[in-house]
Amino acid sequence: MAMASEAPKDGFRLSMLIYDTRFRSFTIQVIVLLLVLMGIAWLVDNTVQNLAAKDKDINFGFLWNRAGYDIEQQLIPYTNDSTHGRAAIIGLLNTLVVAFWGCIFATVLGVFAGVLRLSKNWLVARLMTVYVEAFRNVPLLLWIIVVFVVTSETAPQPKDFKVTAEMVQTGAEPPAQKILFGTVAITNRGWNIPAPLVERPLGVVNVGSVPVNLTLLAVIAAIVGSVLVNRAILRRARRIQEETGDRPTTWWQSLLVLFAPTILLLLALGFHIEVPAFPTDETGVSKGFNFQGGILVMHSFSALLIALSLYTGAFIAEAVRGGVLAISRGQTEAAYALGLRPGRTMKLIILPQALRVIIPPLISQYLNLTKNTSLGIAVSYLDLRGTLGGITLNQTGRELECMLLMMLIYLTISLIISSLMNVFNSAVKLKER
Amino acid sequence: MKKSVFLGVVAATAMTAGFASAATLDDVKARGELLCGSNTGLTGFGAPDANGNWVGFDVSLCRAVAAAVLGDPAKVKFVPTTGETRFTALASGEVDLLVRNSTWTFSRDTDLKFDFVAVNYYDGQGFMVKKDLGVSSAKELDGATVCIQTGTTTELNLADFFKFNNIKYTPVTVQDDSEAQRQYLAGACDAYTTDASGLAASRATMADPENHIILPEIISKEPLGPVVRHGDNNWGDIVRWTYYALLIAEEKGITKANIEEVASSTTDPEVRRLLGLEGDAGVMMGLDNNWAKNAIAANGNYGEIFEANIGTSTPIGLARGLNALWTQGGLQYAPPLR
Ligand SMILES: N[C@@H](CCC(=O)N[C@@H](CS)C(=O)NCC(=O)O)C(=O)O
């Protein structure tokens, strides 16, 4: 009897770390932490020793050395005299541009496919099922290669667009023709599309080592300004409507505000379109190997973008379908009872509510898409993996540094995307008041 | 108490696991197999034949090393590597030796911490175009699209060449020779550039080799040779001298066919040292004294290997040129074996 009241008072015994539930969880945590730390220490130690055995060190100095290789697709100026660091930035921008457009296309595609898969039209619903299943169940890498091979092998070679001396004499046409009123040429190398050009550019200023194109900036400013003014006009119209019941006509004001400033600016800059074409000599015979002028979008880029969008779109479609199904039938019925047509019911009632369910899986699809851009290596798309993790790694032999840097960059991009999406999510999620 | 023992064990494993073994020779002997980094497939240099046996000019050197070290030229495992993966494979110990059209350069030797132990083929970078392109010089390629293998010296030379000549090009970066060939044949690039020997090998496998020409410009020096890791000098010596043994054999007229006969009758002191009849050359490197004899018996001497795989009688049709023996006006020259 006396024992029972004595027990808790007596001092701490080592065995209590295991047998006493108050301490046990603490013990376990400490041991796990120790093991994890030891694991990390072992990895680091192993790395350091192996590097030492190979007479190597960890040094990021190579990023400031001359790269020496060329990159075909560059969003900011780069030559083979630029540094490895700049090559990595070129690669990063190439990654980001695919990821950006990929997310947009995949979302549009996914929303359409997801909604249409629920359509009452048997054929449409089945077609969407086929699309979703085909893309979800075949590895992305295969899709990238398939799209690349199909787009590049079915298109004619650039030389098929050339006018030869013989054709000039006989008046025959070259075997391949440009499409869309002679502005776009699809060859087996890529898409030659017209380039927007201005005759009187505003010039370029360098912020740090990043050139900023003032012309582009001015056009963007004009567009953003017009949109803002237009919003103000619409707000005013709504206010008047709410106060008086009459909505003033705004369409001509909107049109004027939206388009006039930009058009005037472009006219002032001497805007025109440069159509890709083969240079010709006096007699009209084409010279050279490739189209000159315009923009060349390589098939590696377009194939990667198309495959990523289609693939991720299929997953987004499923997320959208799940989101829509999560909204109770009663909502639809109520909307119908109010006389809303199915299209408007979807747009005004169902989708806004479904968004709350859709956004979390959407975030992970965006992250997947962004990371999957690194599969561009299969079609020789020089993204971050191709430059920093490919050619630079190889030419400098700095495997560890390049891989660490690459992981860090992908991690940062992913974290930025998920935090942006989380902000968006909290903006649309159900407000509990 | 128990814990500290455990910690000690962990620390000890960390130490031992941390060391990549320095003695490649011991590893190879213990494994009973040589791991040789090869091409993913370049006819004439290194590719599996119809029966899955690896054959070629570079492959034969691997086999000679296997014969010298293990006494059997068949005890080689070939590990296909691309231009991009080859050096990582060697550095990480995935292969013991890399013989894969690899150019000896300063940065690979110093910065990448490798040793090029010899030059088994003196080469230079060239361009191949289709005949109907109507181009006869690389300088006429202004504005052309060029297929280029990534991770190679040729990628850097290409950039330098076009810049130096003030002309433009569009690079199409590919992973290996077969992809380059596919793109080139499909017309996705106007020209394919790599080592001239590689171009000749590539052309030989095309359906219509006569419709493709290799342009006259050679824009770089590409001394190709076997590569080992820095720091294991004995292993480097073994590979180097196995190669030289093949050269000395050619110089002395020792062939796969007559080697037994020469061994039984020769009085030439260098040949006697080479074939292990005199001295301890093999033992000094940790091998058998008939290391060189085994190496030569595997696929013949350097000249025989050259003729059988890439010489003028093969579809690849390369002349000896710079790779003739020094006695015939070439650059192939073995130091004395003594
Ligand atoms: N010698 C150059 C180029 C080596 C190279 O990649 N050669 C090509 C063509 S000669 C090759 O071996 N390709 C075969 C393959 O891709 O497996 C270097 O060391 O960087």
Side-chain angles (χ1 to χ4, degrees), chain A residues 395, chain B residues 38-42 45-46 58 81-84 86-87 100-105 108 116 123 149-155 157 175-179 192-199 201-202 222-224:
Chain A
Q395 299 290 3
Chain B
S38 185
N39 272 304
T40 52
L42 185 65
F45 283 89
D58 281 347
T81 58
T82 66
E84 214 177 0
R86 58 184 154 167
F87 293 122
R100 189 208 169 277
N101 311 71
S102 293
T103 305
W104 187 347
T105 69
R108 289 174 180 177
F116 286 78
D123 206 347
Q149 283 191 53
T150 185
T152 63
T153 50
T154 52
E155 179 171 53
N157 299 332
Q175 293 293 316
D176 58 18
D177 182 60
S178 58
E179 173 66 4
Y192 173 24
T193 181
T194 183
D195 302 339
S197 64
L199 290 179
S202 228
E222 306 288 332
L224 314 179

Side-chain angles (χ1 to χ4, degrees), chain A residues 334-393:
Chain A
Y336 287 173
L338 286 177
L340 286 180
R341 272 166 286 128
R344 306 208 86 198
T345 307
M346 183 55 84
K347 209 176 118 203
L348 296 174
I349 310 289
I350 310 294
L351 274 185
Q353 299 186 70
L355 267 186
R356 293 164 194 154
V357 185
I358 295 171
I359 286 174
L362 201 61
I363 302 178
S364 68
Q365 289 312 327
Y366 286 172
L367 295 181
N368 279 348
L369 189 144
T370 307
K371 287 178 290 177
N372 284 343
T373 54
S374 58
L375 287 174
I377 194 78
V379 286
S380 306
Y381 180 66
L382 287 184
D383 61 351
L384 188 66
R385 164 70 181 79
T387 57
L388 178 66
I391 305 181
T392 292
L393 181 154

Side-chain angles (χ1 to χ4, degrees), chain A residues 305-430:
Chain A
L305 182 60
I306 293 173
L308 277 173
S309 310
L310 287 172
Y311 181 81
T312 315
F315 285 89
I316 294 182
E318 283 303 90
V320 169
R321 188 170 70 114
V324 170
L325 288 178
I327 306 303
S328 100
R329 279 256 348 124
Q331 298 277 329
T332 318
E333 282 159 6
Y336 287 173
L338 286 177
L340 286 180
R341 272 166 286 128
R344 306 208 86 198
T345 307
M346 183 55 84
K347 209 176 118 203
L348 296 174
I349 310 289
I350 310 294
L351 274 185
Q353 299 186 70
L355 267 186
R356 293 164 194 154
V357 185
I358 295 171
I359 286 174
L362 201 61
I363 302 178
S364 68
Q365 289 312 327
Y366 286 172
L367 295 181
N368 279 348
L369 189 144
T370 307
K371 287 178 290 177
N372 284 343
T373 54
S374 58
L375 287 174
I377 194 78
V379 286
S380 306
Y381 180 66
L382 287 184
D383 61 351
L384 188 66
R385 164 70 181 79
T387 57
L388 178 66
I391 305 181
T392 292
L393 181 154
N394 214 262
Q395 299 290 3
T396 60
R398 296 275 169 194
E399 295 95 354
L400 195 67
E401 291 90 335
C402 289
M403 283 299 160
L404 284 177
L405 208 57
M406 224 164 58
M407 281 160 64
L408 192 73
I409 295 176
Y410 278 116
L411 182 71
T412 316
I413 303 176
S414 294
L415 288 180
I416 291 176
I417 294 179
S418 45
S419 49
L420 285 182
M421 289 300 291
N422 280 332
V423 168
F424 180 55
N425 192 23
S426 42
V428 299
K429 80 170 174 220
L430 199 63

Side-chain angles (χ1 to χ4, degrees), chain B residues 18-37:
Chain B
F19 274 121
S21 164
T24 314
L25 176 62
D26 297 340
D27 288 352
V28 174
K29 280 184 174 165
R31 204 188 298 126
E33 189 178 53
L34 174 74
L35 298 176
C36 197

